[in-house]
C-alpha cells in the first residue's frame, strides 16, 4: 500500500485564502479606498480636475517619457543581455552586478547624481550647453533618469530566456544557409518577444510612477517638466486630498488600460 506524501505547501483552499487576504490588504483595499474617496466627486467635478491643462501636460509628460525610456531600454537592455549571456570577457561579472544597481540605489540619490552630472554646469551638461541644448530640467533629462531606473527590468527579464536558447539551434540554421538576420527573425525573436514585452511593460509601469529620481533633474516647471506624481504631491501639500485622489485614479486607469493591452498582445504572441 502506497504511503501518501504530504505536500510541503498546504492545499489549494488554504493557499488561495492566504493569497487573497494578502493581495486584498496590500493592493485591493488601498486601491478601492482611493476609488471610494474619488466617488465623493461628481462626474463634472472629476472631469474638471483631470482635464485641467496642468494635469493634461503632466499626464503627457509622465506617460510619454516613460514610454520613450521603456523603448530605449528595450533596445539597450536586450543588447546588454546578449553580451552578458553570449560572451565571456574580463569584468563581465562586475557589469552583470552593476545592472542591479538601480534596484539597490535610493532613487533620490540617483536623481541627485544625474542632476549633478547633466546640469548645465555639470561634467556632461556643460558640453551639451556648448552645443546649444540642455539635458537637465527638460523632458530629455526626465527620460534619462527613467532610463537609468528601469534598465534592470528589461535585462533581467530577457537574460534568462536568452540563456535557455541553445546555440546549437542557431548554428544549425546557419549551416542550412540562414543569414544572421534570418536567424534572429525566425529563431531568436519569437522566443525573446514574450519576455521582452514583459520587461517593457515592467519598465513602463515603473517609469510612470517614478518620483525620487525625477524631481531633481526635472526642474518641476508647471506645464513643462512637471510629472504627475509631483503634481499629486503638490495637491497633498495644499490639502487638496480629493484632487490628488482624482489624479491618482486617472493614473491608475490609464496605466491599467495600457498594461492590459500589452498583456493581451503578449498572450496573443504566445498562443500558437
Amino acid at each position: 500500500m502506497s504511503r501518501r506524501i504530504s505536500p510541503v505547501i498546504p492545499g489549494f483552499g488554504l493557499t488561495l485564502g492566504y493569497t487573497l487576504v494578502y493581495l486584498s490588504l496590500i493592493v485591493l483595499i488601498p486601491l478601492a479606498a482611493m476609488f471610494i474617496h474619488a466617488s465623493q466627486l461628481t462626474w463634472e467635478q472629476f472631469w474638471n480636475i483631470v482635464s485641467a491643462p496642468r494635469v493634461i501636460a503632466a499626464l503627457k509628460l509622465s506617460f510619454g517619457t516613460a514610454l520613450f525610456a521603456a523603448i530605449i531600454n528595450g533596445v539597450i537592455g536586450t543588447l546588454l543581455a546578449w553580451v552578458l549571456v553570449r560572451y565571456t570577457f574580463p569584468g563581465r561579472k562586475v557589469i552583470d552586478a552593476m545592472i542591479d544597481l538601480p534596484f539597490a540605489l535610493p532613487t533620490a540619490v540617483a536623481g541627485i547624481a544625474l542632476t549633478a552630472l547633466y546640469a548645465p554646469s555639470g561634467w556632461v551638461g556643460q558640453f551639451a550647453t556648448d552645443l546649444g541644448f540642455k539635458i537637465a530640467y527638460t523632458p530629455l533629462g526626465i527620460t534619462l533618469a527613467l532610463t537609468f531606473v528601469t534598465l534592470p527590468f528589461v535585462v533581467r527579464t530577457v537574460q534568462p530566456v536568452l540563456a535557455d536558447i541553445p546555440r546549437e539551434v542557431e548554428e544549425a540554421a546557419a549551416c542550412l544557409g540562414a543569414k544572421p538576420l534570418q536567424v534572429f527573425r525566425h529563431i531568436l525573436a519569437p522566443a525573446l518577444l514574450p519576455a521582452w514585452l514583459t520587461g517593457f511593460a515592467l519598465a513602463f509601469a515603473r517609469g510612470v510612477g517614478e518620483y525620487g529620481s525625477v524631481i531633481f533633474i526635472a526642474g518641476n516647471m508647471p506645464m513643462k517638466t512637471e510629472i504627475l506624481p509631483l503634481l499629486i504631491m503638490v495637491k497633498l501639500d495644499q490639502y487638496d486630498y480629493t484632487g490628488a485622489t482624482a489624479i491618482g485614479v486617472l493614473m491608475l486607469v490609464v496605466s491599467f488600460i495600457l498594461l492590459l493591452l500589452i498583456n493581451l498582445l503578449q498572450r496573443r504572441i504566445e498562443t500558437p
Side-chain angles (χ1 to χ4, degrees):
M1 183 176 180
S2 61
R3 182 181 177 184
R4 182 178 180 182
I5 301 176
S6 300
V8 177
I9 300 178
F12 173 75
L14 184 59
T15 53
L16 179 61
Y18 278 123
T19 301
L20 293 178
V21 170
Y22 183 82
L23 185 64
S24 298
L25 292 175
I26 301 300
V27 179
L28 298 181
I29 293 178
L31 294 182
M34 185 171 63
F35 276 96
I36 292 173
H37 191 77
S39 65
Q40 300 175 4
L41 296 168
T42 64
W43 172 252
E44 183 179 359
Q45 291 173 330
F46 177 82
W47 179 253
N48 288 335
I49 293 174
V50 300
S51 62
R54 186 176 178 182
V55 176
I56 297 299
L59 176 71
K60 293 179 180 178
L61 180 66
S62 294
F63 282 88
T65 52
L67 178 62
F68 279 114
I71 293 174
I72 293 172
N73 279 331
V75 177
I76 303 300
T78 303
L79 292 176
L80 284 173
W82 177 272
V83 171
L84 293 174
V85 170
R86 293 303 174 91
Y87 300 103
T88 301
F89 53 91
R92 183 172 67 90
K93 292 185 178 180
V94 175
I95 296 177
D96 193 22
M98 290 177 61
I99 296 296
D100 295 325
L101 187 61
F103 283 153
L105 189 68
T107 55
V109 175
I112 294 173
L114 291 172
T115 304
L117 187 62
Y118 292 102
S121 59
W123 291 351
V124 178
Q126 60 182 345
F127 296 107
T129 302
D130 294 338
L131 294 175
F133 68 95
K134 293 174 58 178
I135 298 177
Y137 317 128
T138 65
L140 177 60
I142 298 175
T143 304
L144 181 65
L146 295 181
T147 303
F148 171 82
V149 172
T150 60
L151 176 63
F153 290 98
V154 177
V155 177
R156 294 310 184 207
T157 306
V158 173
Q159 189 174 4
V161 177
L162 186 60
D164 289 338
I165 300 177
R167 298 193 65 174
E168 291 79 5
V169 178
E170 303 172 42
E171 294 173 357
C175 291
L176 292 174
K179 297 180 180 180
L181 184 59
Q182 292 175 318
V183 173
F184 176 80
R185 179 180 177 183
H186 297 287
I187 296 177
L188 296 178
L192 291 177
L193 189 55
W196 187 89
L197 286 174
T198 300
F200 176 86
L202 292 173
F204 174 74
R206 171 64 187 274
V208 169
E210 178 59 27
Y211 177 77
S213 63
V214 176
I215 56 172
F216 296 101
I217 199 170
N220 309 322
M221 293 177 286
M223 305 294 295
K224 293 182 179 180
T225 60
E226 186 178 49
I227 58 174
L228 271 179
L230 176 64
L231 186 55
I232 292 176
M233 291 299 300
V234 171
K235 295 286 186 181
L236 293 176
D237 289 339
Q238 297 173 350
Y239 301 100
D240 185 7
Y241 301 115
T242 305
T245 304
I247 299 175
V249 169
L250 175 66
M251 286 189 66
L252 178 62
V253 171
V254 176
S255 299
F256 178 79
I257 292 174
L258 292 176
L259 291 177
L260 178 62
L261 293 176
I262 294 174
N263 288 331
L264 290 176
L265 177 61
Q266 181 182 9
R267 179 171 296 183
R268 183 174 181 179
I269 293 173
E270 291 177 343
T271 303

